[in-house]
């Protein structure tokens, strides 16, 4: 009996060995066959490439190896801006009693003190019009532009817009190299961009990054904010320079950075070309920027306000204050109304509302849709002119 059991055991062991060998071969050569035998498959559906090893996806092949052509097209139009202004402060030397006693005319003999600063700008018209930040040329009584080819020319301030921190300069001379303006509507998050400017006074410098976000607002930087956020390195001196796409077209004016150290941390902001183009046109044509005005104090609609006012969604802007006798007051708007669109364009939050109003021409009439007691109502508002920022 023991001989029979021993023979059976040997047969069983050999069978197990053959099965394990077969599984090893299948798992090595055809692992895709195992799930159908095991009765289980993937617990989630995943997308997996079927390209053979070493194949390069079409999207990867489309990425250029160099952005030299874009830089070559844009750099001639980016200028270094050097400004200087006379300091009005009193020198501490003039308070020295001994010096004042023996040199009573010292104040008249001392040369005036001057402060210098640097920044960047972009030539946007061959006639010599240059866009830059207002804070770059603030208080300057002398402005010099240094072109990419080394030419140094003087410039004067044609006009400024404090609410967007933009300024338009007029350079001496004509037929200057001008940049091509891009279309913000074609810009997407993830697009490659180049930042060109004059960081730390080194001269024309190009840095590379992507568009990190669009429509950044509520940063407390300007009255009107619609920033392009980028991780292209922007450092002191880059302000007023160009943010360009991979075709060398201007899509933004580099404005400011978020930094704890003063250097680039990968969060920079540029004023979009759409906003800059409007400011440029108005300053050249009228010498100033005019915007529409309703005379309202707006507030975003949150969940609590929507509940109290029985609103279906947290969209629209609550009017929590009105300037007496202002355009909105004369049109019949009331405190507690919720503005949902202006001229058919939605006003989902305070930023959108202020932007819509600012785009209206003073003196025109605007159709405003509101919710009053949770019911829609349309009013006509005669647009006023926004008071000048101080």
């Amino acid at each position: 009996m023991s001989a029979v059991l021993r023979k059976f055991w040997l047969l069983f062991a050999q069978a197990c060995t053959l099965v394990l060998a077969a599984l090893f071969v299948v798992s090595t050569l055809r692992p895709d066959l195992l799930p159908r035998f095991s009765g289980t498959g993937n617990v989630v559906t995943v997308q997996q490439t079927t390209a053979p090893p070493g194949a390069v996806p079409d999207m990867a092949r489309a990425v250029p190896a160099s952005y030299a052509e874009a830089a070559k097209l844009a750099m001639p139009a980016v200028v270094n801006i050097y400004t200087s202004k006379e300091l009005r402060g009193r020198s501490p030397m003039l308070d020295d009693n001994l010096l004042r006693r023996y040199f009573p005319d010292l104040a008249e003999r001392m040369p005036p003190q001057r402060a210098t600063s640097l920044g960047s700008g972009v030539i946007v018209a061959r006639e010599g019009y240059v866009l830059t930040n207002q804070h770059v040329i603030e208080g300057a009584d002398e402005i010099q532009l240094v072109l990419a080819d080394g030419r140094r020319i003087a410039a004067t301030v044609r006009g400024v817009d404090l609410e967007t921190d933009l300024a338009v300069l007029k350079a001496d001379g004509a037929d200057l190299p001008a940049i091509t303006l891009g279309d913000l509507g074609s810009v997407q998050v993830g697009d490659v961009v180049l930042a060109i400017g004059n960081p730390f006074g080194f001269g024309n410098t190009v840095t590379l990054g992507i568009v990190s976000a669009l429509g950044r607002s509520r940063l407390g930087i300007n009255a009107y904010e619609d920033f392009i956020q980028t991780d292209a390195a922007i450092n002191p001196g880059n302000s007023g320079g160009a943010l360009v796409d991979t075709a060398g077209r201007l899509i933004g004016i580099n404005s400011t950075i978020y930094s704890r150290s003063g250097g680039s941390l990968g969060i920079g902001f540029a004023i979009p070309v759409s906003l800059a183009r409007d400011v440029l046109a108005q300053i050249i044509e009228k010498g100033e920027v005019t915007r529409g005005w309703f005379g309202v104090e707006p507030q975003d609609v949150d969940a609590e306000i929507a509940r109290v006012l029985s609103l279906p969604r947290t969209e629209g802007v609550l009017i929590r204050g009105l300037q007496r006798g202002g355009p909105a007051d004369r049109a019949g708007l009331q405190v507690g109304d919720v503005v949902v669109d202006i001229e058919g364009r939605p006003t989902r939050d305070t930023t959108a509302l202020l932007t819509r109003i600012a785009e209206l021409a003073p003196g025109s009439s605007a159709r405003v849709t509101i919710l009053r007691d949770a019911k829609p109502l349309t009013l006509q508002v005669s647009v006023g002119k926004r008071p000048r920022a101080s």
Side-chain angles (χ1 to χ4, degrees):
M1 191 69 176
S2 59
V4 175
L5 289 175
R6 188 180 304 110
K7 186 175 181 180
F8 178 77
W9 174 252
L10 289 174
L11 288 173
F12 175 76
Q14 290 174 354
C16 290
T17 303
L18 290 173
V19 170
L20 290 174
L23 285 174
F24 175 77
V25 172
V26 172
S27 64
T28 303
L29 300 179
R30 292 295 303 274
D32 55 303
L33 297 177
L34 292 178
R36 72 176 65 175
F37 292 113
S38 64
T40 62
N42 292 334
V43 295
V44 294
T45 302
V46 297
Q47 294 184 1
Q48 182 172 317
T49 181
T50 56
V56 180
D58 292 340
M59 185 171 61
R61 283 199 297 266
V63 177
S66 171
Y67 299 98
E69 192 62 31
K72 190 183 300 182
L73 289 171
M75 287 180 69
V78 180
V79 299
N80 303 332
I81 298 179
Y82 296 90
T83 66
S84 66
K85 59 183 177 181
E86 184 174 334
L87 295 178
R88 302 183 183 276
R90 181 182 176 88
S91 172
M93 292 179 60
L94 301 179
D95 296 325
D96 189 285
N97 291 329
L98 186 62
L99 287 175
R100 290 171 58 187
R101 177 179 177 182
Y102 290 100
F103 303 98
D105 60 343
L106 181 61
E108 289 74 21
R109 293 166 57 184
M110 289 185 64
Q113 293 180 299
R114 301 190 68 82
T116 60
S117 60
L118 55 88
S120 307
V122 187
I123 302 173
V124 291
R126 301 186 71 85
E127 295 81 4
Y129 289 104
V130 178
L131 271 172
T132 187
N133 289 139
Q134 185 273 335
H135 72 259
V136 169
I137 52 88
E138 184 176 12
D141 50 34
E142 184 179 348
I143 302 173
Q144 292 284 326
L145 309 181
V146 179
L147 277 64
D149 59 11
R151 282 183 290 168
R152 182 180 290 266
I153 56 179
T156 56
V157 178
R158 179 64 181 266
V160 301
D161 181 32
L162 297 176
E163 295 182 315
T164 58
D165 190 31
L166 285 170
V168 177
L169 309 180
K170 178 63 175 69
D172 294 344
D175 198 27
L176 298 178
I179 202 166
T180 300
L181 303 188
D183 176 19
L184 189 67
S186 64
V187 177
Q188 303 179 69
V189 173
D191 284 352
V192 173
V193 289
L194 307 177
I196 308 175
N198 180 27
F200 300 107
F202 287 129
N204 269 19
T205 300
V206 181
T207 55
L208 173 72
I210 64 169
V211 174
S212 304
L214 293 168
R216 284 288 192 229
S217 60
R218 304 185 188 184
L219 303 178
I221 300 172
N222 300 330
Y224 291 97
E225 297 179 341
D226 187 25
F227 288 113
I228 302 170
Q229 182 182 327
T230 178
D231 66 348
I234 298 174
N235 287 291
N238 272 112
S239 293
L243 188 71
V244 304
D245 60 19
T246 53
R249 298 170 299 200
L250 182 73
I251 63 169
I253 301 294
N254 299 325
S255 180
T256 188
I257 60 174
Y258 174 81
S259 175
R260 299 181 185 277
S261 63
S264 174
L265 292 180
I267 302 180
F269 301 101
I271 300 168
V273 66
S274 54
L275 181 56
R277 183 190 287 114
D278 179 61
V279 170
L280 173 71
Q282 289 201 53
I283 287 179
I284 291 177
E285 181 182 351
K286 299 178 292 188
E288 64 174 351
V289 177
T290 58
R291 294 186 172 90
W293 178 67
F294 278 8
V296 298
E297 184 181 349
Q299 179 180 341
D300 286 345
V301 174
D302 57 20
E304 180 63 20
I305 292 175
R307 185 187 64 79
V308 171
L309 298 179
S310 301
L311 301 177
R313 295 180 300 275
T314 58
E315 292 184 358
V317 181
L318 175 70
I319 303 300
R320 69 176 186 181
L322 288 166
Q323 180 160 330
R324 182 169 298 182
D329 185 34
R330 295 196 303 269
L333 268 77
Q334 301 176 7
V335 172
D337 289 344
V338 175
V339 181
V340 293
D341 79 56
I342 297 176
E343 287 294 310
R345 301 175 65 191
T347 54
R348 294 186 176 88
D349 54 29
T350 299
T351 300
L353 174 75
L354 295 177
T355 300
R356 301 283 182 268
I357 296 173
E359 292 171 346
L360 299 171
S364 64
S365 180
R367 184 180 71 259
V368 179
T369 302
I370 64 172
L371 296 176
R372 181 177 293 171
D373 298 326
K375 298 177 181 178
L377 177 65
T378 299
L379 300 173
Q380 291 292 136
V381 179
S382 179
V383 183
K385 179 180 177 181
R386 180 177 173 85
R388 185 185 295 274
S390 56

